[in-house]
Structure formats: structure tokens, C-alpha cells
Amino acid sequence: MPRPRITLALGSGGMKGMAHVGVLRALEEAEIRPTVYAGCSAGALVAAAAAHRVALAEMESIAGRLAHRPLFQIDFLSLLRHGLRTPALYRGSRLRELCAELFGDVTFSQLKAPLVVSSVDVETAAPLLWGAGSWPDVSVADAVYASCAMPGLLPPGRVGGRICMDGGVLDPLALREVALLADLVIAVVLDGATPPACNTTTVSTGPTLWWHAQRIVTHDIGHHTLARWDGPPLLVIRPDLHHVHSLRGADPALVIQAGYDAARIALDRWDRLTVSAGDAHRIF
């Protein structure tokens, strides 16, 4: 029988995205190799690295490095120059440097595996999905940066002549159009099964409050997408990341381990089911 097509869709979540590396480790141990990768925001970064065949050891090393040199650094110079007219609170240079380090000038057509990256057109508010047969000559680094560019926190990015921002605004799970590319979809959700809570001691800080509001919206969109899923069998993995701050992160080893543990549990559950063609099973 032909090998089933498996799409791995990695969701948004800021620094919680390190958990995706643990999921990849669990899939590798189970000898499950996705045929298509899809990602949004932090999920786009990890999905693109996987599609480019970046070694898991290198991903883990980068995660450890980010614990000492955070991605999110306030752009004080821009604030002094532009005040409230500043394009973003944080500098985009650190994330751009990371994307350039990982992908260089690689285009979607040059990746080792098909990739879908979710973003949103700033001007039209329409979803833009890069890769997997469309826009083959677009820079992967540009698309990944734009998918991570949270509005107001990071400057938007230019991709194929379009100004784009974080795909999580409309599609936090990067599941649009992947149904036709897979016989099985594995989706990794980083915001849990219930709406995220906010620590009242930090609710007065602007970025924290903004991110909390964004997480609520992202959670609701993701829940709605999963509830209405009518595509191929869907396995949902939800790492326990209640201890991880989306902007400041946490111990990378613990975050990666949380992704690994959740994937192992989900795969064990899935292994007990008999999935026949045409069934639309959802395992949460």
C-alpha cells in the first residue's frame, strides 16, 4: 500500500514554540516522518526548519541560546524617535537574524519537504499561505519572519511584494488548505484546551496585556477551527505549557520535554485506534 500522506501543522505561541522541537523528537522516535509541514508564527519557524532538514540537535541548541539572548528586545531607539508612531514595540532584527541563519536565501522550491506558512496581508486583511505549490520562488526566511510578526509587537515583513503580519491573527493552526494534502493531519496546539489565564500582578503591563488578549482570540479561533474540522483524520497534541510565558519563555529543556511528553501520550492514544479511510477521528 502507498505510504499515507501526513501533514504536521504547528501552531502559534511565541516562546512556547520550543515545545514543537520535542514533538518532532517524539515523531522521529516513532518513525513518523511528515510528508508536508505547515506552521504559523513560532510554529512556522520550527516547521520550516524541519522541512529544511535542520537537525533536531541544532534546533535544541538554538532554543538554549535564545534563553540567554531573547528574541524580544524593546526597540528603545524607535520609541525615542517616533513615540506612539513607532511601528512596533520590539526590534525585528533578532528574529530576522535567526531566520537568515537557518534558511539563508533558500526558497520554498528548494526545501527538502513541502511547507505551508501562514501569514496575513496587512493591507487587505486576507490570509496568505506561502509554499506547497504556490509562490515557489519566495524566500522562506521572509515568509517565516512575517508569520511571526505579531502586530504591534514586531514590525511587519515584506514577502513577495506583500506586507504581511502574524498568521495567528486568522489561522493560528495553519490548517487552511492542508486537508487536500494529507491522509492524516497532526496538529500541535500550544494554548491548551481552556482559555488562557493572566497573572493579575502583570496585567498592568502593556505588552503582557496585549499578548494575553491575543492569546484569547487565538485560542477561540483555534477551538472553532478544530470543532468544525471535516477533513482527514486529525490527531491533536496539546503540551502542558501553563508555566511558560509566551514572550519571556522558560527553561528550554523543560519546554521541549513538555512537547515530547504530550506527543508520546497522543501517539499512544492514536495507536490504540483503528483508523479507516474516510473516518474523521479527532483525538484531543
Side-chain angles (χ1 to χ4, degrees):
M1 294 180 63
R3 182 182 174 188
R5 300 171 303 162
I6 300 174
T7 290
L8 177 63
L10 304 180
S12 62
M15 296 305 292
K16 293 182 179 183
M18 294 180 185
H20 291 315
V21 179
V23 172
L24 290 174
R25 176 72 70 188
L27 294 179
E28 181 181 82
E29 290 182 1
E31 298 183 350
I32 296 173
R33 173 163 287 190
T35 51
V36 178
Y37 293 89
C40 174
S41 196
L45 181 65
V46 180
H52 194 40
R53 297 291 188 255
V54 175
L56 288 176
E58 183 177 349
M59 294 189 205
E60 291 169 355
S61 174
I62 291 172
R65 199 173 72 205
L66 293 178
H68 302 288
R69 193 181 176 207
L71 279 178
F72 298 100
Q73 299 176 334
I74 294 178
D75 193 342
F76 291 107
L77 184 58
S78 181
L79 286 170
L80 288 173
R81 284 179 175 174
H82 306 292
L84 293 177
R85 296 178 63 84
T86 186
L89 179 62
Y90 294 103
R91 295 165 52 198
S93 57
R94 285 284 294 114
L95 180 57
R96 290 187 185 279
E97 290 167 4
L98 178 58
C99 290
E101 174 189 342
L102 285 171
F103 312 117
D105 297 327
V106 170
T107 63
F108 279 87
S109 64
Q110 295 171 322
L111 290 171
K112 302 296 191 298
L115 170 71
V116 176
V117 169
S118 170
S119 67
V120 176
D121 187 305
V122 171
E123 183 177 355
T124 66
L128 284 176
L129 296 169
W130 306 98
S134 61
W135 310 94
D137 298 324
V138 162
S139 162
V140 172
D142 288 347
V144 169
Y145 172 82
S147 183
C148 295
M150 297 168 285
L153 295 188
L154 288 173
R158 184 179 293 274
V159 190
R162 313 281 283 274
I163 303 298
C164 302
M165 61 182 173
D166 189 348
V169 173
L170 294 177
D171 189 12
L173 298 177
L175 286 176
R176 293 175 185 267
E177 297 186 9
V178 301
L180 298 178
L181 303 175
D183 301 307
L184 167 67
V185 177
I186 301 174
V188 184
V189 182
L190 300 182
D191 273 332
T194 58
C198 186
N199 188 335
T200 55
T201 61
T202 61
V203 76
S204 60
T205 62
T208 297
L209 186 58
W210 183 97
W211 183 252
H212 179 58
Q214 178 68 16
R215 286 173 61 205
I216 293 172
V217 173
T218 297
H219 172 273
D220 287 347
I221 294 174
H223 180 78
H224 178 75
T225 299
L226 294 176
R228 294 174 61 88
W229 179 257
D230 59 356
L234 175 67
L235 173 64
V236 180
I237 299 173
R238 281 195 173 96
D240 181 4
L241 301 172
H242 69 278
H243 62 290
V244 184
H245 192 282
S246 299
L247 297 179
R248 294 191 298 270
D251 183 339
L254 294 179
V255 181
I256 292 171
Q257 185 66 40
Y260 176 85
D261 292 342
R264 286 293 301 269
I265 291 171
L267 290 173
D268 286 345
R269 258 198 239 123
W270 181 265
D271 199 40
R272 298 190 196 106
L273 294 177
T274 299
V275 182
S276 58
D279 289 343
H281 293 290
R282 287 189 291 271
I283 305 301
F284 296 95

